[in-house]
Amino acid sequence: MTDPPFVVLLVAPDDSDRRLIGALIDAGGCELHPVDGLESALAAIEERPHDVVLLEGGLASEETVRQLLDEDPRAQVIVFGDPSNAEQVHAVRELGAVDHLPKATLDAATLQRAIRYAADHRRSVERLQHDALHDALTGLPNRTLFLDRLQQSLRRSRRRGADSGAAVLFLDLDRFKVVNDSLGHLVGDQLLQSVALRLDAALRPGDTVARIGGDEFTVLLEDVTDAREATVVAERVLATLADPLHVAGRELHVSGSIGIALGGPDVDPHELIRDADVAMYRAKAQGKARHSVFDIDMHRHVLARLDLETELRRAIEAETLQVVFQPIMRTTGSDITAFEALCRWDVAPQEFVAVAEETGLIVPLGRFMLREAARRAVEWDACVCVNISARQLADHGFTRMVEEVLAESGARPANLRLEVTESTMSHDLEGALHTLADLRARVGVGTYLDDFGTGASSLSLLRRFPGDALKIDHGLVIAMLTDPGSNAIVKAIVGLAHNLGMEVVGEGVETAEHLEGLRLLGCELAQGFHLSLPLTAEDAARLLIPQAGRRAGPGGAPEAGVLG
């Protein structure tokens, strides 16, 4: 394939110079764009790239060359004619001009040779830079090139004035990992290529779409400062993605979450991308397949989360978190059958647990809770339950870690129970069931199915669940006194669990009426504030003293494992 002709920008105020260069360059097969000054030159460079800029010597000041290179850092500036003095020639060469051609000795061969050398150099560099600055899979600009174009866009905005600026869209595909994991990376790659084509077709001329990693894309909207204009583009992108994609003989449906950030000419480009990323996570949290515009409150929230993560990490490492224990009691008396270990800190549990899940700190936090539970199980010879997260259950080393905790503490496996929810297991149901069954059969550690009765509780899961007990969600327990439907559901759950050989724990027992209602329905175990608030380890131990005395064997010594 023949290379396209060199594109030359001629900057010369004098018409005679423009005619001279035009005549010398005419036979060289170049495409010449003459302008008469710096302002016109900058506008021409903004409109399209040029292989070479021929700058008349009278205009060749350091400031002029600097502005040309600011507009296009790869510009090959050749000065022709004579600047005011030799020092000026040296200065502009030092600044980045690539050649100087005295007008007195200038002929067609010299000019064309200089243009060809400079243009060939630029195109060779551009080919290398293209490979370094573009994503190999999709051919789109990568993160480095996107940042460069954003910086150039903001420089142009500064010339246009304080009311100018740019917008960045940050797109993350929803549930792309499911496609990648289920259909393989080859199909995942083809899907990304198809998405890239869709995105490119949905944008305005002059806008930039880049793939910055994985399933993340960014879009630069040039000279956009109105959020409404940016959201129109975002909605067009989402609409484009809504149509099914045909990849590897399959019809695939994808969606995306988009964050939008707008900035004026003086905004830091890194911060603009960061803000769009933050807004994208807000859109994803609001339900996916939508867009969200960044505001300063989002940034404050992110900083607060980072601070919370740092403090939580320190608290886990220093083991300064508090563990409290809420008793699980029989509904037919005051006997305690187990305790649930709960983590407490200076921050609400739902807040710091969410941060722990998001950052992976849930793994060391979970290890800390298991060790503390096992330690108290040995100290009290009592059964202690610990909540387990999806991240822990998915960890291939989880079973080994439980075994190590038991060995270190000396706790009996029967005195340690794991509490899981159906949503915890939903990420990898088969793997979770296998892990729990292995822990029960080989290690001797049992499991409670927590929060049963919320969401789409599955009866088929219940049939396969390798557990010892169901814990009925507190919402059903509270509602069963006033709602006949909830009462009927609780009764059905109790009967079903008993038929499967499992005990039942009613959570959220806040009144004597709740406790009596559970007892009448045949639920043998209960937990809630009416029975006891979560207790410190010392208070929990004191609560056990009367029970140990009642069940003391001959000679006054308590029987082993009375709470197991």
Side-chain angles (χ1 to χ4, degrees), residues 218-231:
T218 50
V219 175
L220 167 61
L221 303 181
E222 187 91 15
D223 196 24
V224 170
T225 57
D226 187 341
R228 288 172 297 182
E229 188 175 354
T231 58

Side-chain angles (χ1 to χ4, degrees), residues 9 157 162 259 300 377 393 443 463:
L9 178 64
S157 294
R300 294 193 189 102
L393 206 53
V443 183
R463 177 179 58 83

Side-chain angles (χ1 to χ4, degrees), residues 331-350:
T331 57
T332 55
S334 58
D335 282 356
I336 299 169
T337 64
F339 289 92
E340 180 180 355
L342 302 165
C343 189
R344 293 294 182 263
W345 193 35
D346 298 334
V347 178
Q350 62 268 27

